[in-house]
Amino acid sequence: MSERTLIKNLAAANDGPVSVSGWVETVRDQKKVQFVVLRDESGAVQLVHPRAFGEDGSPLDDELADTISGLSQGTFLTATGELKHDERVKLGGVEVKLASLAIASVAIAETPIAADSSIDKRMDWRFLDLRRPEQNLIARVQTTFEHALRGYWNDNDFIEIHTPKLMASASESKAELFEVKYFEGKAFLAQSPQFFKQMAQPAGFGKVFEVGPAFRADPSFTSRHATEFTSVDAEISWIDSHEDVMTMHENLLVAGLTAVKEKHGDDIKALFDVEVTIPSTPFPRIPLAEAKRIVAEHGYEVPRHDDDMDPEGERRISAYVLEKFGHEFVFLTDYASSIRPFYHMRHDDDPGLTRSYDLIFNGVEISTGAQREHRVEVLEAQARDKGLDPEELGFYLDFFRYGVPPHGGFGMGLSRVMMLLLHQANLREVTYLFRGPTRLLP
Amino acid sequence: MSERTLIKNLAAANDGPVSVSGWVETVRDQKKVQFVVLRDESGAVQLVHPRAFGEDGSPLDDELADTISGLSQGTFLTATGELKHDERVKLGGVEVKLASLAIASVAIAETPIAADSSIDKRMDWRFLDLRRPEQNLIARVQTTFEHALRGYWNDNDFIEIHTPKLMASASESKAELFEVKYFEGKAFLAQSPQFFKQMAQPAGFGKVFEVGPAFRADPSFTSRHATEFTSVDAEISWIDSHEDVMTMHENLLVAGLTAVKEKHGDDIKALFDVEVTIPSTPFPRIPLAEAKRIVAEHGYEVPRHDDDMDPEGERRISAYVLEKFGHEFVFLTDYASSIRPFYHMRHDDDPGLTRSYDLIFNGVEISTGAQREHRVEVLEAQARDKGLDPEELGFYLDFFRYGVPPHGGFGMGLSRVMMLLLHQANLREVTYLFRGPTRLLP
């Protein structure tokens, strides 16, 4: 492995010989001195090379200077030289006086995108777009967030599962299903791990989680939808109601956001001008019907014929909660049975309502959770009620025939959390490689 | 949340009132006393209920006794009663004298599988098969192993990526590709995250990892192949050769196995009669040509016309390494270019060989790693050399045109590691839900 110092560690290193590796961000090729800004995965540093002149003032032969003059933006190289701390250098207070450059890979001179390119153009060249410090930070924030979630789950004895994405039938809506040629037959891509994470319950696993892809053949082109996304899922047993799921969910988010704030809070402030807030628990909970009443009282009638909220309503109730309780999160609870899947448990005393919630973060829904119906006769009746064929659901209904504990869980879109945490306008900005109806490349 | 004590915690709890929840494993319905073995995700405990008799010796009305008599195996319930430590109780040295039972979900009386059912039958009823303590342990070992890998990566500043599984074209062999109907067109399922994890290199991410599904339309029915599997991938920059990848790889495995041994070593010994060994580093490395010579000297000529090893050869070289070096792992290095993908870097001084390795664990290949070719002209030539169409690979080749550091990485099958670690004969035993050419259910 090449001995290199990460650029972020230069400030704390002693003056003296040093080697750094990265890509050329800018070259300032001046008459007397040349400057290169080199960036690696941890930061950027200024490399400096004073040109050599003869006694008559004419430039001397200088191979290094020629190399620098020829550097194209994006070229990857290793630079060796002398590290020097100098307060006058704006970029980190250090510079490296070059002794030599070893070029690993030369970049084509023209970069196809610029900072002001359209998002579609930037997605065409996503691997270049990701070089921006903002994108690097998004990736690191997500890494830290996920690791903290898994730390919470691990500390609390959850089992990690990897459910299959190839299924014999639909798990949610048939309308949004991708079909796969499967040898002589066909298969479908899982729209969520719903059925299989529930399977861990009759399996006696107790508490499970999964972070993995989910697929929706949804022809939407909104800023919040993708055909493939990373779903964060958990499912726990022996709950009394969806309240227990919400408690786990909010503790999990506190763990994730605490780690993010600790590790990246300053960088997030610097690059996105966002103050990461660790939410207080319990998060506010508002039954959906009440939430609709509240937004109506504040002048917005949700223009839907079903009982659901709409995106504008979610923004408004979120704004209300932020103002009233100073909280960025709100659980909207007790959605109508008519707009929830058949596997959500309904209230005993009001079967028109489910024991479910949506979690809204900074105005947008990031998650749906619920207690699941585990009584197989009720489950079967609810499936029929929704026009589903219990025959086709046979393998799933079997999970409930041989004993199963009461249970519930949630599914949460990872990119949505990142988008809302970092105040980004579009999922595309926070997804490594976005997939949409017309986007399969790169 | 119901207040319950995990069964594994009973031994350390004080005698007195207690509540446990789980499923009925066995009922011994004797004349004078009834016993129920209740299991939860952490262990099993004996519940005891002495029947009540009148002065004349005839049994009194006893609702609890009737309930116990009617319990079917698999029924989930919560039991409350008095915890009592008693050395004579073989099962954990404690029992719970029952006060009451609350049944959550009644199981159908006949269980469709038994311990001696065929593996195919057990897979039909995987959610019941997973109730076995061995299966619970496998799931926990995998959880611990993965968490330790991610801990290593996190400590070493890797970025976690989630590459898309929907692709516009093949990343490996076209023969083993699943095709997806994608709106008006088509897509393919990623056979590995190869192209997209490499994309993180020109993106300047430095070091990345991913744990996610991969898909192979491979019609094999061996004990080691699946059409969907969990792939553990890492890719690092600024390497000098595949040697740097092997170093990272072995350190990672040491981290994973150390955590497994610490947390589950005793249980693994008890349930699988396997002693988990923490491998010493460096793992033995043997060039493939030498490995073939060694197995030939020991009486086995690999019956292949290409330059590859075969499974029997892998078993034999592994046995040789175990005997000679006392090591369960061996890196076989420097595979022939003819049997490696176009993106493997070849030796400068011998282009017939690649800078690559396979990692063999207890006789079976678990991983392939390599330095990648990052010089775009060479990469393009190697692709052509393999009969691939550089046009079709255009989006991938672009990754190398705008600067890229030297890099390499590996992909490793998670279930294979578990299978070999726990001395299981078949991937199906260690996969949550196996997928094969004729297996899409449950």
Side-chain angles (χ1 to χ4, degrees), chain B residues 342-362:
Chain B
F342 75 97
Y343 51 79
H344 281 200
M345 185 178 270
R346 299 172 184 180
H347 282 287
D348 284 339
D349 55 357
D350 184 354
L353 296 181
T354 55
R355 296 175 163 222
S356 75
Y357 66 85
D358 273 9
L359 177 57
I360 316 292
F361 177 30
N362 285 336

Side-chain angles (χ1 to χ4, degrees), chain A residues 41-152:
Chain A
E41 66 266 38
S42 71
V45 66
Q46 178 166 287
L47 315 176
V48 60
H49 178 62
R51 289 180 187 271
F53 294 90
E55 283 179 11
D56 63 350
S58 67
L60 296 179
D61 273 356
D62 184 343
E63 213 178 317
L64 182 54
D66 295 344
T67 302
I68 292 171
S69 296
L71 284 177
S72 53
Q73 197 205 327
T75 289
F76 277 70
L77 55 80
T78 294
T80 54
E82 290 286 317
L83 176 67
K84 214 185 133 198
H85 283 71
D86 185 341
E87 285 176 6
R88 291 167 305 174
V89 180
K90 280 184 192 166
L91 193 59
V94 294
E95 62 181 14
V96 176
K97 186 163 177 299
L98 279 176
S100 69
L101 288 181
I103 291 179
S105 164
V106 173
I108 294 179
E110 289 86 38
T111 307
I113 53 166
D116 61 350
S117 297
S118 74
I119 189 163
D120 221 54
K121 182 100 179 169
R122 286 192 284 115
M123 283 200 294
D124 287 341
W125 301 96
R126 183 63 171 159
F127 62 101
L128 298 175
D129 192 39
L130 289 174
R131 287 183 184 170
R132 290 187 293 128
E134 292 82 1
Q135 287 294 339
N136 188 289
L137 180 58
I138 288 168
R140 288 188 190 279
V141 168
Q142 181 171 289
T143 300
T144 298
F145 181 74
E146 285 187 65
H147 196 63
L149 301 193
R150 295 198 188 97
Y152 172 89

